[in-house]
Amino acid sequence: MINIGLNIELFKLRRTVNFQRYEFNVHQYYPNQYFKNTRTKEVDFTLDIIDLSYSTARTLCAFHLTNRELYFDVIASLLSHLNFIDPTQTNFLLSESRYKRLRDFSKSTRIGEMAQGINALFVGQRLDFPYIIDFDLAMERTSTILNIQTTGKTPDFVVVNRDLVNIGLFESKGTMSGSAGGGSGYLSKAMEQINDVYHPCFNFSLPFCSKFAPNNDVNKKPLPKNRKSSINYAFIENICSAENDNSILLKLHYASWFYLVGDIDRVNSILNEGTITTLENDPRYELDITTDPKNPIYWVKSFNVLFSEDKELECYLNFYIFLRHKDNFKIGIYKKVIDNLLSNEQSIFELPEGEINYLRKYPDGTLIFIRSR
């Protein structure tokens, strides 16, 4: 058995501990035109490195659910964020020198992954579609329910609104040099992929493009005033007559969280039977009824990820961060979410109101507890 221990010191770094928040311009485009004179500037969107890393990890896990050995890709992607974002700016800017050092295929991969994390966080927080499922996975696992049919390239995700009724198609793009808008811009390309899905009727179409601005650290020239990366999107409503049973989509969304925390048994249970088992009395989780007495939380207690099912080449990843920093960093999920998933009939989950020190609440009811020093 190969035992790999990773002592991840991410949270000791100044840029993470200080929780520097970065701002994005936000532009909503008029459907099917995508020109600057039709777009509306919205309130800036902000996030920090924790939000970005967590959201990116969830989108990567959604894609990797059936391949546990690809968990290393998730870790590699998260580590790469730390030296890619300029920590000296309040506006979200990427290191131009770091970008130029990447090979062409790495450029598109890194930009695409980061854009997915940012866009997915926006879709969940701003647009209230907190449940995000890899399109190909949704197509495969809902063949007898939705019977998704497409003629060409597929979009990235199927998304479910908090109301559990409205579903949408979400395609994410990212670029450093291309154009988000225009007839041949990335939003148009994203919409082409969405339009290739012809069955069933999806209530919303969500083409997105994050356009990243560089920080000029190659030639050391002063930054232009107010240089800022931007989130560009369209929010297109479609008229649909039929309502679908979206309960399996909800469970597929949470499969990415179980994958992230290394609970492959529950991932397989969702994928194979469409069910999960209770977390009660599972030694990998502990129930916390003191942090938020009205809303108990299951914290991940044991974080071991098994990568290979081959007994000759068993490979574990042990996150020592949970041992060394368990009082400063925890990842969890509201008990109400688990109870809802265990129920025969899913109900709408409303995120509990009120702020609690060091507690990060994400739109789907998953949480991170992280304390600065």
Side-chain angles (χ1 to χ4, degrees):
M1 180 178 71
I2 304 172
N3 194 333
I4 301 178
L6 290 186
N7 180 10
I8 304 177
E9 300 292 343
L10 303 182
F11 303 98
K12 286 185 176 181
L13 296 178
R14 181 176 298 276
R15 69 181 75 179
T16 25
V17 172
N18 284 346
F19 304 129
Q20 169 70 52
R21 296 200 71 79
Y22 302 99
E23 296 182 350
F24 287 82
N25 283 326
V26 178
H27 301 123
Q28 183 179 359
Y29 282 74
Y30 190 81
N32 302 319
Q33 293 192 20
Y34 314 125
F35 295 106
K36 286 186 178 180
N37 61 352
T38 69
R39 73 186 187 184
T40 302
K41 190 175 188 306
E42 298 184 349
V43 175
D44 284 355
F45 187 68
T46 66
L47 53 74
D48 66 15
I49 193 69
I50 302 301
D51 298 328
L52 173 59
S53 296
Y54 181 66
S55 185
T56 303
R58 291 293 299 276
T59 59
L60 288 172
C61 289
F63 177 68
H64 290 164
L65 282 178
T66 57
N67 298 285
R68 66 176 65 186
E69 69 275 10
L70 296 181
Y71 199 98
F72 284 111
D73 293 352
V74 177
I75 303 304
S77 178
L78 300 190
L79 292 173
S80 73
H81 292 340
L82 295 176
N83 65 348
F84 208 178
I85 303 168
D86 188 338
T88 68
Q89 306 293 321
T90 56
N91 293 342
F92 190 97
L93 300 176
L94 296 186
S95 167
E96 191 171 18
S97 60
R98 167 76 172 128
Y99 179 75
K100 287 184 177 296
R101 288 197 299 272
L102 294 173
R103 294 183 180 273
D104 288 343
F105 67 89
S106 295
K107 284 184 173 73
S108 58
T109 299
R110 194 65 61 232
I111 291 295
E113 289 177 352
M114 190 173 288
Q116 277 193 350
I118 293 163
N119 294 335
L121 191 66
F122 185 94
V123 166
Q125 290 186 344
R126 184 78 65 92
L127 301 185
D128 215 22
F129 282 83
Y131 311 115
I132 299 174
I133 305 95
D134 177 72
F135 178 87
D136 290 333
L137 182 70
M139 186 175 180
E140 176 188 347
R141 303 290 167 163
T142 64
S143 58
T144 60
I145 303 170
L146 296 179
N147 189 26
I148 299 174
Q149 300 293 320
T150 179
T151 60
K153 293 183 68 176
T154 60
D156 290 323
F157 301 102
V158 171
V159 292
V160 182
N161 191 270
R162 190 176 301 281
D163 63 14
L164 304 183
V165 174
N166 289 298
I167 57 176
L169 294 173
F170 164 35
E171 170 62 22
S172 172
K173 301 289 186 185
T175 183
M176 277 277 281
S177 55
S179 173
S184 59
Y186 280 100
L187 287 176
S188 292
K189 294 176 182 177
M191 197 61 210
E192 287 175 7
Q193 290 177 235
I194 291 173
N195 284 337
D196 280 341
V197 181
Y198 65 87
H199 186 274
C201 178
F202 284 84
N203 306 96
F204 291 91
S205 299
L206 305 172
F208 267 74
C209 176
S210 282
K211 183 171 173 57
F212 299 110
N215 66 353
N216 282 355
D217 65 352
V218 170
N219 49 31
K220 308 298 183 184
K221 289 183 180 179
L223 281 171
K225 209 169 189 179
N226 296 324
R227 172 175 286 188
K228 193 181 296 186
S229 297
S230 62
I231 297 171
N232 305 272
Y233 78 102
F235 190 65
I236 304 166
E237 186 171 3
N238 307 307
I239 305 302
C240 300
S241 57
E243 289 187 6
N244 301 293
D245 177 5
N246 299 319
S247 57
I248 185 60
L249 290 175
L250 197 66
K251 292 173 184 176
L252 289 174
H253 165 79
Y254 286 104
S256 70
W257 185 83
F258 286 115
Y259 184 102
L260 178 66
V261 302
D263 191 345
I264 305 301
D265 290 339
R266 285 188 173 84
V267 173
N268 289 332
S269 180
I270 291 172
L271 294 181
N272 297 328
E273 288 89 38
T275 61
I276 70 164
T277 55
T278 179
L279 272 58
E280 190 175 353
N281 299 322
D282 187 324
R284 290 172 291 189
Y285 301 91
E286 59 182 352
L287 184 62
D288 172 10
I289 58 174
T290 58
T291 299
D292 187 352
K294 293 182 179 179
N295 300 284
I297 299 167
Y298 280 114
W299 295 114
V300 178
K301 186 178 180 181
S302 174
F303 205 133
N304 272 357
V305 183
L306 175 64
F307 290 102
S308 174
E309 297 184 63
D310 185 339
K311 295 299 181 183
E312 299 297 321
L313 293 170
E314 283 189 353
C315 180
Y316 285 91
L317 174 64
N318 296 321
F319 282 80
Y320 289 146
I321 187 171
F322 276 80
L323 302 177
R324 296 188 178 191
H325 306 294
K326 65 180 181 179
D327 293 330
N328 297 313
F329 179 83
K330 293 185 288 188
I331 185 169
I333 189 168
Y334 278 113
K335 182 177 182 294
K336 286 181 179 179
V337 172
I338 299 300
D339 292 343
N340 195 22
L341 293 174
L342 290 168
S343 172
N344 291 328
E345 192 170 321
Q346 274 68 56
S347 58
I348 297 172
F349 172 79
E350 296 291 349
L351 202 63
E353 296 181 356
E355 297 300 320
I356 298 174
N357 285 342
Y358 312 120
L359 193 65
R360 303 287 188 92
K361 301 177 184 179
Y362 291 97
D364 62 350
T366 58
L367 308 106
I368 290 177
F369 177 91
I370 183 164
R371 193 201 316 264
S372 59
R373 296 182 181 182

